[in-house]
Amino acid sequence: MTTAEPPLVTPAAEAPPGTVYGLRWVALFGGGLFLLICSVRVITGAPAFTASGTIRTGLELTVPILLAALGALYSERAGVINIGLEGMMILGTWCGAWAGIEYGIWWGILFGIVGGALGGLLHGVATVSFGVDHIVSGVAINILALGLTQFLANVTFARMPGGGPTQSPTVPGTIPRLSLPVLSSGPDLLGGLERQRWFLVSDLAGVLRGLTSQVSVLTIVAVALVPLSVVLLWQTRFGLRLRSCGENPWAGETLGVNVPRHKYAGVVISGALAGLGGAYLVVVAGSNYQEGQTAGRGFLGLAAMIFGNWLPGGAAAGSALFGYVDALRLRDAVAVHGLLLLATFALAVIVLLQLRRGNTRAAIGAGVGGAVFLVWFLATAILPSQFLVFTPHVVTLLVLTFLAQRLRPPAADGQPYRPGEQR
Amino acid sequence: MRGRLAPGRIGRALAAPAIAIVVSLLLAGVVLRLTGWNPWSVYGYMLSQGVRPESLIRVVNLATPYYISALAVAIGFQMALFNIGVEGQYRLAAVCAAGFGSAVALPAPLHVTAILLVAIAVGALWALIPAVLKVWRGVSEVISTILLNTVAIGLAAYLLVNYFREKLPGVNTTSTKLLPRSAWFPSLSGLVRALGIDLPAGTDLFGFVLVALALGVAYHVVLTRTRFGFNLRASGINPWAARASGVDANAMVLRTMVISGALAGLVGMTALLSDKHLFGDDFPVQLGFTGIGVALLGRNHPVGMALGALLFGFLDATGPLLQFQGISKQIVLIMQGVLVLSVVIAYEVVRRASERAVEEQAATPAVPAEPAEVRA
């Protein structure tokens, strides 16, 4: 294992996420992206880009990724790499469906959380108590969780009416859904605006309506977890101690932090969040357990967290981007093709920004990329839907490749740690 | 230090797998008991069914891709390089090889060879991406190979649907054309029958087993008899010392990843050339992830991984038979999962125990210390 020397001065001394400076950039970036999307919507004539239906679907596809991403965040901030998230999420789907059918839908959610947390605890036992390599333990947990879940599904759901070895019966009951009065329901003012197809105005109305109509209570909880995580990790003593385990556990130890306990807390919270994501797939995004339901969303959450630079807000932005692309894929083939034009525009903006900074090489690189996307857009009529399945993965790889120097993972992330031993 | 074959060393190497097997039998036993079965009679039934000749042949057949997959993972593990991307590498290689194989017409040995070369090339090239990203930009291969798995599987689906699928008028097929006989790897069943062992109809010992064996031998030779193998292990044990002694770390990453990808490309060839002869919906999946488990179980040792692959193959072969008794076949998946997780913990426990033993040995002086003379 590499034993990189801990840097004396932490680069980019950590400002708590969501400072005024950060918010201004987020607003600028988000606004710019929105403007681009609206332009592409008008050019391609595909209303799906900003239709409330797309946004609503996108929100529901975002939440499981977001929960896994937050899970990854807690674990890695405590210094434990968690590629077992996928397995923990799978545990959440079975536990959620089983308890949901046996005891009711809210118990399903609780059991989903507990199932995932148990997976996290197992990861903690292996990595923290026994010092197993984090990647190795994560792979093993994924294998175990998949097998255990398939067995349990076979001995439980297969015997239920309407169920089978690979899927459960429908979980009875629903989680309440809320709409914003007047604006998104009743007179539905936003809906009226959206139907006008006015540039920007209708687009904004569509997005707002998608975010405020028929929103599951569980979605609201998941979104609220983002600011809550910022507060918990950056404003509380527990958060400071947990992060110290990810940055420099040996220093934390000398200050009296119980490092193993905080690492355990990190992975158990991580598993619980992934499990909640699994339960969400069962009771909100779907209506029953299905084999292969998580479809790599645990891994995608990990990617979203890396994309988001190990910060809650960044992880949320990454998850939203991935969820949005996925929603477009499900809803409209024309809009999917328009994404190529969107990529062209985005790269053109990057060219201008890089030129202003005098960074000619980066500008040329982005320009070539933009030209490729433009030719691709003009020369083809559709973008194969298979490509969209892995678009988030490619985007994350590109971010890792070209923005790696801006990314700052916790300094001791993934490093072996044994109490009382300097490494 | 004692020699390689000292009894203590072998004992320590076998302790962890033994513990893991016991733990997995116990835990699976608890699960069986809870679901209303007598574990001992279930295990007895598995054992009695598993040693029948046709079962044993199935065990070897199933173990073959697991072993190749484990070799692909293990060569990276030797230098602490994690190729989690075998899953994507073999799927993409298999679909390209199947498409290529059904598109060309060649005489028998050439056809098989050409398909194998395509599979190797695709696997190696796909693995080159994370290697280049790691060397050029320092991107962790763990993350990039995980991400590239999804990309490869999506790409394989795209290629299959748009280019490699058998195009029949009016039928929407989802598989490549059946490969002609010239692209079938020779079977070993004839040899087994010639040895006087009677095989029931419908059982077939895959000839690809020989390829797996040859690869295992090559793996051992490369690791222990070549400069590359020495550098590989040196980089794994102490990367700083290896670098200081002139090993080019970047070149090692590139080479190792390409070899790992080339091996991964061969993982799907058992199914393509010896079993299914086409790439379709029922092409085996999860072989890459299972290979990681087998490599962990066998501790990257060529013989250990062979035993691990056979153990996994045995569980896979006997699992479906349990269904005749009304027992869920997925119990073997639990056993496999517990095996992998408990073996990695057990190895760590054994390592720490032997470390402690060494420390205590060093702490107790061989000759009782004489009381220090006080010189006044």
Side-chain angles (χ1 to χ4, degrees):
Chain A
M1 278 280 94
T2 49
T3 46
E5 277 186 36
L8 292 175
V9 180
T10 322
E14 264 193 280
T19 50
V20 180
Y21 180 75
L23 278 181
R24 206 178 67 193
W25 274 104
V26 166
L28 209 67
F29 188 79
L33 188 66
F34 181 65
L35 203 66
L36 286 185
I37 290 177
C38 296
S39 317
V40 172
R41 196 268 297 172
V42 172
I43 295 170
T44 56
F49 270 110
T50 54
S52 52
T54 311
I55 303 299
R56 195 184 308 126
T57 312
L59 187 60
E60 270 180 20
L61 292 169
T62 297
V63 170
I65 305 173
L66 174 65
L67 288 169
L70 287 177
L73 181 77
Y74 278 92
S75 179
E76 302 225 347
R77 280 290 172 184
V80 181
I81 296 179
N82 188 359
I83 66 170
L85 280 169
E86 180 73 17
M88 296 167 199
M89 201 174 214
I90 294 174
L91 289 175
T93 58
W94 180 83
C95 292
W98 178 76
I101 290 164
E102 293 283 328
Y103 307 118
I105 199 156
W106 291 101
W107 284 105
I109 294 164
L110 186 69
F111 270 70
I113 295 172
V114 171
L118 285 176
L121 185 66
L122 208 55
H123 192 48
V125 169
T127 57
V128 181
S129 294
F130 287 101
V132 173
D133 184 278
H134 300 179
I135 309 295
V136 165
S137 168
V139 169
I141 283 173
N142 285 338
I143 294 174
L144 176 61
L146 188 68
L148 185 64
T149 310
Q150 289 183 3
F151 174 81
L152 290 172
N154 202 4
V155 296
T156 52
F157 301 144
R159 292 173 195 169
M160 294 177 179
T166 59
Q167 63 172 24
S168 76
T170 306
V171 179
T174 48
I175 304 287
R177 286 173 182 274
L178 304 176
S179 295
L180 209 60
V182 183
L183 286 178
S184 302
S185 61
D188 193 10
L189 297 179
L190 287 172
L193 264 181
E194 187 191 349
R195 279 186 289 275
Q196 302 302 319
R197 299 263 180 103
W198 292 332
F199 181 65
L200 275 185
V201 179
S202 296
D203 295 318
L204 194 61
V207 171
L208 290 179
R209 184 163 181 272
L211 294 177
T212 54
S213 71
Q214 294 291 311
V215 182
S216 171
V217 173
L218 209 54
T219 306
I220 298 171
V221 170
V223 172
L225 282 173
V226 178
L228 214 66
S229 298
V230 174
V231 172
L232 184 65
L233 285 173
W234 275 270
Q235 310 288 339
T236 68
R237 190 157 56 180
F238 167 77
L240 178 68
R241 289 177 173 174
L242 185 126
R243 284 187 300 120
S244 83
C245 299
E247 299 294 343
N248 193 336
W250 306 282
E253 189 183 282
T254 62
L255 295 172
V257 175
N258 187 336
V259 176
R261 190 186 293 169
H262 283 84
K263 280 182 181 274
Y264 263 107
V267 285
V268 169
I269 294 174
S270 176
L273 288 168
L276 176 60
Y280 183 94
L281 282 173
V282 171
V283 299
V284 179
S287 58
N288 65 346
Y289 161 89
Q290 286 168 11
E291 198 174 297
Q293 194 168 23
T294 56
R297 286 190 176 87
F299 293 132
L300 201 53
L302 193 67
M305 186 231 24
I306 295 169
F307 178 91
N309 198 10
W310 286 263
L311 297 170
S319 310
L321 187 66
F322 300 169
Y324 176 70
V325 171
D326 210 15
L328 269 189
R329 176 177 67 91
L330 292 178
R331 294 194 67 102
D332 191 350
V334 180
V336 162
H337 185 239
L339 280 178
L340 293 173
L341 191 63
L342 187 64
T344 312
F345 285 173
L347 284 164
V349 173
I350 291 175
V351 169
L352 292 178
L353 287 178
Q354 296 291 352
L355 279 180
R356 233 186 69 187
R357 280 191 205 155
N359 201 342
T360 325
R361 264 182 65 186
I364 292 173
V368 170
V372 168
F373 276 110
L374 187 62
V375 170
W376 191 355
F377 173 74
L378 295 173
T380 57
I382 54 161
L383 180 64
S385 68
Q386 291 96 344
F387 281 32
L388 278 205
V389 175
F390 56 73
T391 302
H393 305 74
V394 174
V395 170
T396 308
L397 270 177
L398 290 176
V399 167
L400 275 171
T401 308
F402 293 106
L403 298 176
Q405 63 272 45
R406 301 238 178 142
L407 298 180
R408 212 192 70 77
D413 198 9
Q415 285 184 27
Y417 164 80
R418 280 170 83 174
E421 268 183 29
Q422 188 74 44
R423 220 173 248 250
Chain B
M1 262 283 133
R2 277 173 285 179
R4 280 175 56 81
L5 289 175
R9 196 188 159 97
I10 292 184
R12 277 202 297 279
L14 290 181
I19 295 171
I21 289 172
V22 170
V23 169
S24 112
L25 288 177
L26 282 178
L27 281 181
V30 170
V31 173
L32 282 170
R33 182 70 84 187
L34 288 177
T35 47
W37 296 97
N38 178 0
W40 303 117
S41 69
V42 172
Y43 296 154
Y45 178 77
M46 282 171 81
L47 211 58
S48 68
Q49 293 297 310
V51 294
R52 290 164 51 185
E54 65 265 34
S55 297
L56 286 179
I57 285 183
R58 257 185 77 70
V59 169
V60 174
N61 287 345
L62 288 164
T64 303
Y66 289 161
Y67 186 56
I68 302 175
S69 178
L71 288 174
V73 175
I75 193 128
F77 274 164
Q78 291 285 357
M79 66 167 291
L81 191 71
F82 292 90
N83 183 4
I84 315 282
V86 173
E87 187 72 21
Q89 287 149 16
Y90 93 80
R91 299 263 281 272
L92 191 62
V95 78
C96 293
F100 169 81
S102 58
V104 298
L106 288 166
L110 276 180
H111 204 168
V112 170
T113 314
I115 290 175
L116 288 178
L117 287 178
V118 168
I120 290 173
V122 173
L125 282 175
W126 195 252
L128 191 61
I129 302 174
V132 168
L133 290 182
K134 184 180 175 73
V135 170
W136 177 43
R137 305 294 297 190
V139 179
S140 153
E141 79 283 3
V142 176
I143 301 299
S144 60
T145 51
I146 287 176
L147 292 173
L148 283 167
N149 272 341
T150 313
V151 181
I153 292 165
L155 216 53
Y158 167 76
L159 290 172
L160 180 64
V161 171
N162 289 285
Y163 299 103
F164 298 149
R165 167 172 80 87
E166 180 178 24
K167 293 190 179 67
L168 295 173
V171 190
N172 213 351
T173 55
T174 54
S175 63
T176 61
K177 215 164 88 184
L178 192 71
L179 291 177
R181 289 302 287 242
S182 60
W184 292 25
F185 205 87
S187 161
L188 286 178
S189 298
L191 192 71
V192 174
R193 287 202 179 89
L195 287 172
I197 301 165
D198 199 29
L199 282 182
T203 41
D204 178 28
L205 181 59
F206 297 163
F208 217 74
V209 172
L210 295 180
V211 175
L213 280 178
L215 290 173
V217 172
Y219 170 85
H220 178 71
V221 170
V222 165
L223 273 187
T224 55
R225 298 274 181 274
T226 66
R227 176 201 282 252
F228 170 76
F230 177 78
N231 288 347
L232 187 71
R233 286 184 297 144
S235 312
I237 294 165
N238 190 336
W240 310 107
R243 209 165 299 176
S245 67
V247 177
D248 182 347
N250 284 346
M252 288 306 290
V253 169
L254 287 171
R255 273 186 225 155
T256 309
M257 210 62 185
V258 165
I259 294 173
S260 177
L263 285 168
L266 291 173
V267 169
M269 293 302 101
T270 316
L272 185 65
L273 301 178
S274 277
D275 188 12
K276 310 224 175 275
H277 308 294
L278 55 78
F279 187 98
D281 290 332
D282 64 343
F283 202 81
V285 296
Q286 287 282 328
L287 295 177
F289 290 119
T290 310
I292 300 176
V294 172
L296 293 172
L297 200 60
R299 203 68 173 159
N300 307 326
H301 191 280
V303 177
M305 287 188 289
L307 295 175
L310 287 170
L311 181 56
F312 268 51
F314 175 83
L315 293 173
D316 277 358
T318 50
L321 302 175
L322 290 176
Q323 286 190 306
F324 297 124
Q325 306 279 308
I327 304 163
S328 166
K329 66 174 176 183
Q330 283 86 357
I331 188 72
V332 301
L333 296 176
I334 295 188
M335 293 168 82
Q336 291 175 342
V338 174
L339 264 176
V340 176
L341 190 61
S342 51
V343 85
V344 294
I345 295 178
Y347 273 124
E348 211 50 44
V349 171
V350 170
R351 191 178 66 83
R352 286 186 180 184
S354 59
E355 258 179 27
R356 245 197 319 276
V358 169
E359 274 168 20
E360 276 164 16
Q361 222 169 16
T364 32
V367 185
E370 289 172 24
E373 281 177 40
V374 184
R375 287 180 194 173

